Amino acid sequence: MATETGLEADIDLAPAEALIAEYMDNREATIALLQDVQKHYGYLPRRVLEFISERLELPHTQLFALATFYRAFSLTPRGRHTINVCTGTTCHVRGAPNLLDALERELGCAAGETTKDGRFTIETVNCVGACALAPVSVIDEEAHGRLTQAKLKKVLDQYE
């Protein structure tokens, strides 16, 4: 088992234990368990994955393979709000690259990173299926269409 250091040593395993109990009889639902763990902790802490591995007697590598294969999972802490910037063809043509640049400047972090204050995580996605609203960004589960650099600050201010 890895040595616990930093914030991982302070992780409360009681919520993970409760979630494991829900899935103990349904080991085929490992992905659902990981989704619930991530929903609770905001990401998949290494210590919690090790704990699940021990409790369910699953190979540690199996859990990490799932956690790294699916893009929906994160092994690092994420912001309270996730910004998905669509980079699909229509959004690209209608200014998504400039919008992403402005967003990165405004928040002081790049796509794939989380702001220092833990408020936002920026991600790019290939398509959100809202081409008529291009360029589009989805914050948490709310789509913001026809975005411009001028509208960006107002949209971000909604997520204090």
Side-chain angles (χ1 to χ4, degrees):
M1 177 157 346
T3 304
E4 295 179 34
T5 59
L7 297 176
E8 292 257 333
D10 298 332
I11 288 181
D12 180 9
L13 295 176
E17 181 70 43
L19 291 169
I20 291 168
E22 289 181 37
Y23 291 95
M24 188 63 86
D25 295 330
N26 187 8
R27 295 185 185 219
E28 293 79 31
T30 305
I31 292 174
L33 169 60
L34 294 179
Q35 289 172 324
D36 286 350
V37 167
Q38 180 163 290
K39 185 175 183 179
H40 175 77
Y41 292 98
Y43 72 111
L44 297 176
R46 177 177 295 274
R47 176 65 193 112
V48 174
L49 290 176
E50 291 169 350
F51 183 67
I52 292 168
S53 173
E54 293 166 11
R55 294 285 288 121
L56 295 181
E57 298 177 354
L58 292 171
H60 190 69
T61 54
Q62 180 181 346
L63 290 179
F64 274 90
L66 288 172
T68 56
F69 178 79
Y70 292 103
R71 192 170 181 192
F73 293 129
S74 176
L75 297 175
T76 58
R78 300 173 59 82
R80 290 184 305 279
H81 305 287
T82 300
I83 304 171
N84 289 300
V85 178
C86 181
T87 58
T89 303
T90 304
C91 286
H92 181 85
V93 169
R94 293 186 182 170
N98 294 333
L99 189 63
L100 180 59
D101 288 344
L103 181 62
E104 291 173 337
R105 280 192 311 275
E106 177 71 27
L107 297 179
C109 71
E113 297 178 350
T114 299
T115 57
K116 289 179 184 175
D117 63 3
R119 187 171 155 208
F120 292 108
T121 296
I122 304 171
E123 296 179 340
T124 58
V125 293
N126 293 331
C127 185
V128 297
C131 298
L133 299 176
V136 179
S137 287
V138 177
I139 302 177
D140 299 332
E141 295 181 13
E142 186 177 350
H144 298 275
R146 297 185 183 90
L147 278 177
T148 63
Q149 292 180 36
K151 290 181 184 177
L152 185 61
K153 177 80 170 119
K154 289 180 183 178
V155 170
L156 294 176
D157 287 344
Q158 297 173 26
Y159 295 90
E160 285 298 325

